[in-house]
Amino acid sequence: MKIKVVKDILEANDSIARSNREAFVKMGATVFNLMSAPGAGKTTLLKTALKKLKSDYKIGVIEGDIATTLDAEQIEKIGIPVVQINTGGACHLDANMIRNAYPEFKGKKLDIIIIENVGNLVCPAEFKVGEDYKIMIHSITEGEDKPLKYPLMFKESSLLLISKIDLQPYLGVDIAKIKSDAKKLNPDIDIIEVSSKTGEGIDKFIKWIKSHLRKR
Ligand code: MG
Ligand code: ZN
């Protein structure tokens, strides 16, 4: 019984996600859903990327948080239109929340919409929201066992950003194992090592974004 309820919820979600996607295609916007555990550096990396992309593209950000507008305020400061979703306790964004959020961009012709999901390694990967691509950020401070422990997010993502690699001299994490386990789960996943602190890998990330934009 419980299994059937969960299945129905996910099917209802997927149908809203499909209609969101159609709306995004019509707008001409490519949509990226950014997911990670709390503290992996989503907002910092996002800010770094936005600064490099904002002169060439019209970008909107949807910020998902359980509470507070702290991340949205940071994005707004760099001059990017941002819509805040406070989930009021829910630990992921779903398609219905996104359906209610994107009209706030009020017909702005956006090339890119970036959705920063709630920090959580589990259910954000279960809920499609109408995105073109899921991007996962995995900080090396989380250790090397996460692909095996939380496989779904690695399976669902098109790009894995391995973040905070400037800390590797202190941590000595087995980055090769993270990569090979991620590739075993998802042979198509692209992987880029990044550091918001030193700027390493950021240009590769920007290049990846540019090469995945919908042709207009
Ligand atoms: Mg954040
Ligand atoms: Zn959740």
Side-chain angles (χ1 to χ4, degrees), residues 75-88:
I75 303 298
E76 206 155 47
K77 262 187 208 147
I78 49 180
I80 302 286
V82 55
V83 178
Q84 174 78 49
I85 300 173
N86 278 136
T87 63

Side-chain angles (χ1 to χ4, degrees), residues 21-40:
R21 177 88 197 277
E22 280 165 24
F24 295 141
V25 170
K26 223 179 250 173
M27 289 163 68
T30 307
V31 180
F32 300 94
N33 181 2
L34 203 54
M35 305 180 297
S36 80

Side-chain angles (χ1 to χ4, degrees), residues 91-92 120 123:
C91 48
H92 59 269
N120 175 350
C123 35

Side-chain angles (χ1 to χ4, degrees), residues 33-87:
N33 181 2
L34 203 54
M35 305 180 297
S36 80
K42 284 189 297 304
T43 309
T44 306
L45 197 59
L46 179 56
K47 276 163 50 191
T48 309
L50 289 172
K51 284 175 193 160
K52 298 217 171 207
L53 288 164
K54 70 174 189 175
S55 55
D56 295 332
Y57 303 97
K58 293 207 167 58
I59 311 169
V61 170
I62 299 175
E63 272 293 333
D65 276 296
I66 292 176
T68 82
T69 55
L70 294 171
D71 290 355
E73 286 161 26
Q74 293 192 55
I75 303 298
E76 206 155 47
K77 262 187 208 147
I78 49 180
I80 302 286
V82 55
V83 178
Q84 174 78 49
I85 300 173
N86 278 136
T87 63

Side-chain angles (χ1 to χ4, degrees), residues 130-146:
E131 71 279 74
D132 293 282
Y133 301 101
K134 292 185 172 79
I135 299 175
M136 176 178 186
I137 303 177
H138 178 279
S139 153
I140 59 168
T141 58
E142 298 167 58
E144 59 253 319
D145 59 359
K146 295 302 173 290

